Amino acid sequence: MLSRHPATLIICTVMLCAFAAGERCARAAYTTAMQAQTSNAQESFTAIVKRDEARFTLPVPARREWKWLQPETKENAREYALDVKVSNEGHEYAFGFFLWKFRGAKPRSGGFSYLIADGQKSLFVRAQSGHMTIIHDAGVKVKQVGDSLVITVQGKKNVARLFSGRPAEVTFEIALPGDSPITRTMPVKYQD
């Protein structure tokens, strides 16, 4: 028995060292992957403005299944937002995709395209009261392209409303239920 203990101790020590080394390798791999993901995420937020169209791209968060209008969401509460915020000539705007849970809404689930179909694509401006109010017929379109969401504002008048003063940057927001909001401020590339 005594002769087996040193061998067992050595085997356990080797296994612990291998596990620790594996854990360090796993941590290093995880850190590298997270840095790459952050770098790629930064690259996947883009803001391009032309005279008659503005185009904004942001990454679609990974989900096995999308769920919306869930029982835990309060009535009349905003459940989802994937939008762009910009300040132009003294006004604050937010535009993109939004989904609110209204009274009596039944829970839904499915792919991201179904979620997008159920929500609204809108432009809001901050009123003097401090509340955001909707601007109708603002040319806001939203569609999924691969792993990205593309928000466009179409029409010279609509683009001018948001970018006539040539603001240098916009802020993207991704707000999903149960997750901390993600915000990225990115430069605007003007092409005219």
Short mmCIF file of all heavy atoms in Angstrom, two decimals, residues 107-151:
data_model
loop_
_atom_site.label_atom_id
_atom_site.label_comp_id
_atom_site.label_asym_id
_atom_site.label_seq_id
_atom_site.Cartn_x
_atom_site.Cartn_y
_atom_site.Cartn_z
N PRO A 107 -47.51 35.73 -26.01
CA PRO A 107 -46.09 35.42 -26.19
C PRO A 107 -45.82 34.80 -27.56
O PRO A 107 -46.64 34.03 -28.07
CB PRO A 107 -45.78 34.43 -25.07
CG PRO A 107 -46.85 34.65 -24.05
CD PRO A 107 -48.06 35.07 -24.82
N ARG A 108 -44.67 35.16 -28.12
CA ARG A 108 -44.27 34.64 -29.43
C ARG A 108 -42.82 34.20 -29.36
O ARG A 108 -42.05 34.67 -28.53
CB ARG A 108 -44.41 35.73 -30.51
CG ARG A 108 -45.76 36.36 -30.59
CD ARG A 108 -46.60 36.11 -31.80
NE ARG A 108 -46.00 35.44 -32.91
CZ ARG A 108 -45.99 35.90 -34.15
NH1 ARG A 108 -46.50 37.08 -34.42
NH2 ARG A 108 -45.48 35.19 -35.11
N SER A 109 -42.46 33.33 -30.29
CA SER A 109 -41.06 32.93 -30.41
C SER A 109 -40.80 32.50 -31.85
O SER A 109 -41.74 32.21 -32.60
CB SER A 109 -40.74 31.78 -29.44
OG SER A 109 -41.49 30.63 -29.77
N GLY A 110 -39.52 32.48 -32.20
CA GLY A 110 -39.14 32.07 -33.56
C GLY A 110 -37.83 32.69 -33.96
O GLY A 110 -37.04 33.13 -33.12
N GLY A 111 -37.62 32.80 -35.24
CA GLY A 111 -36.40 33.38 -35.77
C GLY A 111 -36.39 34.89 -35.66
O GLY A 111 -37.43 35.54 -35.45
N PHE A 112 -35.20 35.47 -35.84
CA PHE A 112 -35.04 36.92 -35.73
C PHE A 112 -35.91 37.66 -36.75
O PHE A 112 -36.47 38.70 -36.44
CB PHE A 112 -33.56 37.28 -35.91
CG PHE A 112 -33.27 38.73 -35.71
CD1 PHE A 112 -33.33 39.29 -34.45
CD2 PHE A 112 -32.93 39.54 -36.78
CE1 PHE A 112 -33.06 40.64 -34.26
CE2 PHE A 112 -32.66 40.89 -36.60
CZ PHE A 112 -32.72 41.44 -35.34
N SER A 113 -36.05 37.11 -37.95
CA SER A 113 -36.86 37.78 -38.98
C SER A 113 -38.32 37.91 -38.55
O SER A 113 -38.99 38.89 -38.87
CB SER A 113 -36.75 37.06 -40.32
OG SER A 113 -37.21 35.74 -40.20
N TYR A 114 -38.82 36.93 -37.77
CA TYR A 114 -40.20 37.00 -37.28
C TYR A 114 -40.32 38.09 -36.21
O TYR A 114 -41.32 38.81 -36.15
CB TYR A 114 -40.66 35.66 -36.71
CG TYR A 114 -40.81 34.60 -37.78
CD1 TYR A 114 -39.88 33.58 -37.91
CD2 TYR A 114 -41.88 34.65 -38.68
CE1 TYR A 114 -40.01 32.62 -38.90
CE2 TYR A 114 -42.02 33.69 -39.68
CZ TYR A 114 -41.08 32.68 -39.78
OH TYR A 114 -41.22 31.74 -40.77
N LEU A 115 -39.32 38.19 -35.35
CA LEU A 115 -39.30 39.27 -34.35
C LEU A 115 -39.34 40.62 -35.05
O LEU A 115 -40.14 41.49 -34.70
CB LEU A 115 -38.04 39.16 -33.48
CG LEU A 115 -37.74 40.35 -32.56
CD1 LEU A 115 -38.81 40.49 -31.48
CD2 LEU A 115 -36.36 40.19 -31.94
N ILE A 116 -38.49 40.80 -36.07
CA ILE A 116 -38.43 42.07 -36.80
C ILE A 116 -39.78 42.37 -37.45
O ILE A 116 -40.23 43.51 -37.45
CB ILE A 116 -37.30 42.02 -37.86
CG1 ILE A 116 -35.94 41.93 -37.19
CG2 ILE A 116 -37.36 43.22 -38.79
CD1 ILE A 116 -35.60 43.08 -36.29
N ALA A 117 -40.43 41.36 -37.99
CA ALA A 117 -41.73 41.56 -38.64
C ALA A 117 -42.79 42.03 -37.64
O ALA A 117 -43.69 42.80 -38.00
CB ALA A 117 -42.18 40.28 -39.33
N ASP A 118 -42.69 41.60 -36.38
CA ASP A 118 -43.69 41.96 -35.37
C ASP A 118 -43.48 43.34 -34.76
O ASP A 118 -44.39 43.89 -34.15
CB ASP A 118 -43.70 40.92 -34.24
CG ASP A 118 -44.55 39.71 -34.58
OD1 ASP A 118 -45.16 39.68 -35.67
OD2 ASP A 118 -44.61 38.78 -33.76
N GLY A 119 -42.28 43.89 -34.87
CA GLY A 119 -41.99 45.18 -34.24
C GLY A 119 -42.25 46.35 -35.17
O GLY A 119 -42.77 46.19 -36.27
N GLN A 120 -41.89 47.53 -34.72
CA GLN A 120 -42.07 48.71 -35.55
C GLN A 120 -40.73 49.31 -35.95
O GLN A 120 -39.74 49.16 -35.25
CB GLN A 120 -42.93 49.75 -34.84
CG GLN A 120 -42.30 50.43 -33.64
CD GLN A 120 -43.28 51.36 -32.95
OE1 GLN A 120 -44.27 50.92 -32.40
NE2 GLN A 120 -42.99 52.65 -33.00
N LYS A 121 -40.74 49.95 -37.10
CA LYS A 121 -39.57 50.61 -37.65
C LYS A 121 -39.91 52.10 -37.66
O LYS A 121 -40.75 52.52 -38.45
CB LYS A 121 -39.26 50.12 -39.06
CG LYS A 121 -38.91 48.63 -39.12
CD LYS A 121 -40.16 47.78 -39.09
CE LYS A 121 -39.85 46.29 -39.12
NZ LYS A 121 -41.01 45.49 -38.83
N SER A 122 -39.30 52.86 -36.77
CA SER A 122 -39.77 54.22 -36.54
C SER A 122 -38.64 55.20 -36.29
O SER A 122 -37.51 54.81 -36.01
CB SER A 122 -40.69 54.25 -35.31
OG SER A 122 -41.79 53.41 -35.48
N LEU A 123 -39.01 56.48 -36.37
CA LEU A 123 -38.14 57.60 -36.01
C LEU A 123 -38.83 58.37 -34.89
O LEU A 123 -40.02 58.66 -34.96
CB LEU A 123 -37.93 58.53 -37.21
CG LEU A 123 -37.27 59.88 -36.92
CD1 LEU A 123 -35.83 59.70 -36.45
CD2 LEU A 123 -37.32 60.77 -38.15
N PHE A 124 -38.06 58.67 -33.84
CA PHE A 124 -38.56 59.47 -32.72
C PHE A 124 -37.68 60.70 -32.54
O PHE A 124 -36.48 60.65 -32.81
CB PHE A 124 -38.51 58.65 -31.42
CG PHE A 124 -39.42 57.46 -31.43
CD1 PHE A 124 -38.97 56.22 -31.87
CD2 PHE A 124 -40.74 57.57 -30.99
CE1 PHE A 124 -39.80 55.12 -31.88
CE2 PHE A 124 -41.59 56.46 -31.00
CZ PHE A 124 -41.12 55.24 -31.44
N VAL A 125 -38.29 61.78 -32.07
CA VAL A 125 -37.55 63.00 -31.72
C VAL A 125 -37.90 63.35 -30.28
O VAL A 125 -39.03 63.14 -29.83
CB VAL A 125 -37.90 64.17 -32.68
CG1 VAL A 125 -39.37 64.57 -32.58
CG2 VAL A 125 -36.99 65.36 -32.43
N ARG A 126 -36.90 63.88 -29.57
CA ARG A 126 -37.15 64.29 -28.19
C ARG A 126 -37.88 65.63 -28.20
O ARG A 126 -37.38 66.61 -28.74
CB ARG A 126 -35.85 64.40 -27.41
CG ARG A 126 -36.10 64.63 -25.91
CD ARG A 126 -34.87 64.45 -25.06
NE ARG A 126 -34.23 63.15 -25.20
CZ ARG A 126 -34.65 62.01 -24.64
NH1 ARG A 126 -35.75 61.98 -23.92
NH2 ARG A 126 -33.96 60.89 -24.81
N ALA A 127 -39.06 65.64 -27.61
CA ALA A 127 -39.88 66.85 -27.54
C ALA A 127 -39.39 67.73 -26.39
O ALA A 127 -38.59 67.31 -25.56
CB ALA A 127 -41.34 66.47 -27.34
N GLN A 128 -39.91 68.96 -26.31
CA GLN A 128 -39.53 69.88 -25.24
C GLN A 128 -39.87 69.31 -23.87
O GLN A 128 -39.21 69.62 -22.89
CB GLN A 128 -40.22 71.23 -25.44
CG GLN A 128 -39.64 72.02 -26.58
CD GLN A 128 -40.32 73.37 -26.74
OE1 GLN A 128 -41.39 73.63 -26.18
NE2 GLN A 128 -39.69 74.24 -27.50
N SER A 129 -40.89 68.45 -23.81
CA SER A 129 -41.29 67.83 -22.54
C SER A 129 -40.25 66.81 -22.07
O SER A 129 -40.30 66.37 -20.93
CB SER A 129 -42.64 67.13 -22.70
OG SER A 129 -42.50 66.03 -23.61
N GLY A 130 -39.34 66.43 -22.97
CA GLY A 130 -38.35 65.41 -22.64
C GLY A 130 -38.73 64.03 -23.12
O GLY A 130 -37.91 63.12 -23.13
N HIS A 131 -39.99 63.86 -23.51
CA HIS A 131 -40.46 62.57 -24.01
C HIS A 131 -40.10 62.43 -25.50
O HIS A 131 -40.00 63.42 -26.22
CB HIS A 131 -41.97 62.44 -23.85
CG HIS A 131 -42.38 62.35 -22.41
ND1 HIS A 131 -42.68 63.47 -21.66
CD2 HIS A 131 -42.52 61.28 -21.60
CE1 HIS A 131 -43.00 63.09 -20.44
NE2 HIS A 131 -42.90 61.78 -20.37
N MET A 132 -39.97 61.19 -25.92
CA MET A 132 -39.73 60.92 -27.33
C MET A 132 -41.08 60.81 -28.04
O MET A 132 -41.97 60.10 -27.55
CB MET A 132 -38.93 59.63 -27.52
CG MET A 132 -37.55 59.65 -26.89
SD MET A 132 -36.44 60.90 -27.57
CE MET A 132 -35.83 60.06 -29.03
N THR A 133 -41.24 61.51 -29.16
CA THR A 133 -42.48 61.44 -29.94
C THR A 133 -42.16 60.93 -31.33
O THR A 133 -41.09 61.22 -31.89
CB THR A 133 -43.18 62.81 -30.01
OG1 THR A 133 -42.29 63.76 -30.60
CG2 THR A 133 -43.60 63.30 -28.64
N ILE A 134 -43.10 60.19 -31.88
CA ILE A 134 -42.88 59.56 -33.18
C ILE A 134 -43.04 60.58 -34.32
O ILE A 134 -43.86 61.49 -34.23
CB ILE A 134 -43.84 58.36 -33.36
CG1 ILE A 134 -43.38 57.48 -34.52
CG2 ILE A 134 -45.28 58.82 -33.52
CD1 ILE A 134 -44.05 56.12 -34.55
N ILE A 135 -42.24 60.40 -35.35
CA ILE A 135 -42.38 61.15 -36.60
C ILE A 135 -42.82 60.14 -37.65
O ILE A 135 -42.09 59.17 -37.93
CB ILE A 135 -41.05 61.82 -37.02
CG1 ILE A 135 -40.62 62.83 -35.97
CG2 ILE A 135 -41.18 62.46 -38.39
CD1 ILE A 135 -39.27 63.46 -36.21
N HIS A 136 -43.99 60.33 -38.19
CA HIS A 136 -44.53 59.39 -39.17
C HIS A 136 -43.94 59.62 -40.55
O HIS A 136 -43.48 60.72 -40.87
CB HIS A 136 -46.06 59.49 -39.21
CG HIS A 136 -46.71 59.10 -37.91
ND1 HIS A 136 -46.83 57.79 -37.52
CD2 HIS A 136 -47.22 59.86 -36.91
CE1 HIS A 136 -47.41 57.75 -36.34
NE2 HIS A 136 -47.66 58.99 -35.93
N ASP A 137 -43.98 58.60 -41.39
CA ASP A 137 -43.50 58.66 -42.77
C ASP A 137 -42.08 59.21 -42.85
O ASP A 137 -41.79 60.12 -43.63
CB ASP A 137 -44.45 59.51 -43.63
CG ASP A 137 -45.87 58.95 -43.63
OD1 ASP A 137 -46.01 57.71 -43.70
OD2 ASP A 137 -46.82 59.74 -43.54
N ALA A 138 -41.18 58.64 -42.05
CA ALA A 138 -39.81 59.14 -41.96
C ALA A 138 -38.83 58.34 -42.81
O ALA A 138 -37.63 58.58 -42.75
CB ALA A 138 -39.37 59.14 -40.51
N GLY A 139 -39.33 57.38 -43.59
CA GLY A 139 -38.46 56.62 -44.49
C GLY A 139 -37.57 55.60 -43.81
O GLY A 139 -36.56 55.19 -44.38
N VAL A 140 -37.92 55.16 -42.60
CA VAL A 140 -37.09 54.19 -41.86
C VAL A 140 -37.46 52.77 -42.31
O VAL A 140 -38.62 52.38 -42.27
CB VAL A 140 -37.28 54.33 -40.34
CG1 VAL A 140 -36.48 53.27 -39.59
CG2 VAL A 140 -36.89 55.72 -39.89
N LYS A 141 -36.45 52.02 -42.72
CA LYS A 141 -36.60 50.62 -43.12
C LYS A 141 -35.62 49.79 -42.32
O LYS A 141 -34.51 50.24 -42.00
CB LYS A 141 -36.31 50.42 -44.60
CG LYS A 141 -37.06 51.33 -45.53
CD LYS A 141 -38.48 50.91 -45.68
CE LYS A 141 -39.17 51.80 -46.71
NZ LYS A 141 -40.55 51.98 -46.48
N VAL A 142 -35.99 48.55 -42.00
CA VAL A 142 -35.14 47.65 -41.22
C VAL A 142 -35.18 46.27 -41.87
O VAL A 142 -36.27 45.77 -42.18
CB VAL A 142 -35.63 47.56 -39.75
CG1 VAL A 142 -34.82 46.55 -38.96
CG2 VAL A 142 -35.58 48.92 -39.08
N LYS A 143 -34.00 45.66 -42.06
CA LYS A 143 -33.99 44.29 -42.58
C LYS A 143 -32.75 43.57 -42.09
O LYS A 143 -31.72 44.18 -41.79
CB LYS A 143 -34.05 44.27 -44.11
CG LYS A 143 -32.82 44.82 -44.79
CD LYS A 143 -32.97 44.71 -46.30
CE LYS A 143 -31.74 45.28 -46.99
NZ LYS A 143 -31.82 45.13 -48.43
N GLN A 144 -32.88 42.26 -42.02
CA GLN A 144 -31.76 41.41 -41.63
C GLN A 144 -31.00 41.04 -42.89
O GLN A 144 -31.58 40.64 -43.90
CB GLN A 144 -32.25 40.14 -40.93
CG GLN A 144 -31.13 39.24 -40.47
CD GLN A 144 -31.62 37.99 -39.76
OE1 GLN A 144 -32.83 37.73 -39.67
NE2 GLN A 144 -30.70 37.21 -39.27
N VAL A 145 -29.67 41.17 -42.82
CA VAL A 145 -28.79 40.75 -43.90
C VAL A 145 -27.70 39.89 -43.26
O VAL A 145 -26.79 40.42 -42.62
CB VAL A 145 -28.18 41.96 -44.64
CG1 VAL A 145 -27.22 41.50 -45.73
CG2 VAL A 145 -29.26 42.86 -45.22
N GLY A 146 -27.84 38.57 -43.37
CA GLY A 146 -26.90 37.66 -42.72
C GLY A 146 -26.94 37.82 -41.22
O GLY A 146 -28.01 37.75 -40.61
N ASP A 147 -25.79 38.09 -40.61
CA ASP A 147 -25.69 38.26 -39.16
C ASP A 147 -25.81 39.73 -38.74
O ASP A 147 -25.44 40.08 -37.62
CB ASP A 147 -24.35 37.70 -38.65
CG ASP A 147 -24.30 36.19 -38.78
OD1 ASP A 147 -25.36 35.56 -38.84
OD2 ASP A 147 -23.18 35.64 -38.82
N SER A 148 -26.31 40.57 -39.64
CA SER A 148 -26.42 42.00 -39.35
C SER A 148 -27.84 42.49 -39.51
O SER A 148 -28.64 41.90 -40.23
CB SER A 148 -25.52 42.80 -40.31
OG SER A 148 -24.18 42.47 -40.13
N LEU A 149 -28.13 43.58 -38.82
CA LEU A 149 -29.38 44.30 -39.02
C LEU A 149 -29.01 45.59 -39.75
O LEU A 149 -28.09 46.30 -39.32
CB LEU A 149 -30.05 44.62 -37.69
CG LEU A 149 -31.41 45.32 -37.81
CD1 LEU A 149 -32.45 44.34 -38.34
CD2 LEU A 149 -31.85 45.86 -36.46
N VAL A 150 -29.71 45.87 -40.82
CA VAL A 150 -29.45 47.08 -41.61
C VAL A 150 -30.64 48.01 -41.45
O VAL A 150 -31.78 47.64 -41.75
CB VAL A 150 -29.20 46.75 -43.09
CG1 VAL A 150 -29.00 48.03 -43.89
CG2 VAL A 150 -28.00 45.82 -43.24
N ILE A 151 -30.36 49.20 -40.95
CA ILE A 151 -31.38 50.24 -40.79
C ILE A 151 -31.09 51.30 -41.84
O ILE A 151 -29.97 51.80 -41.92
CB ILE A 151 -31.31 50.87 -39.38
CG1 ILE A 151 -31.52 49.80 -38.31
CG2 ILE A 151 -32.33 52.00 -39.25
CD1 ILE A 151 -31.20 50.27 -36.90
#
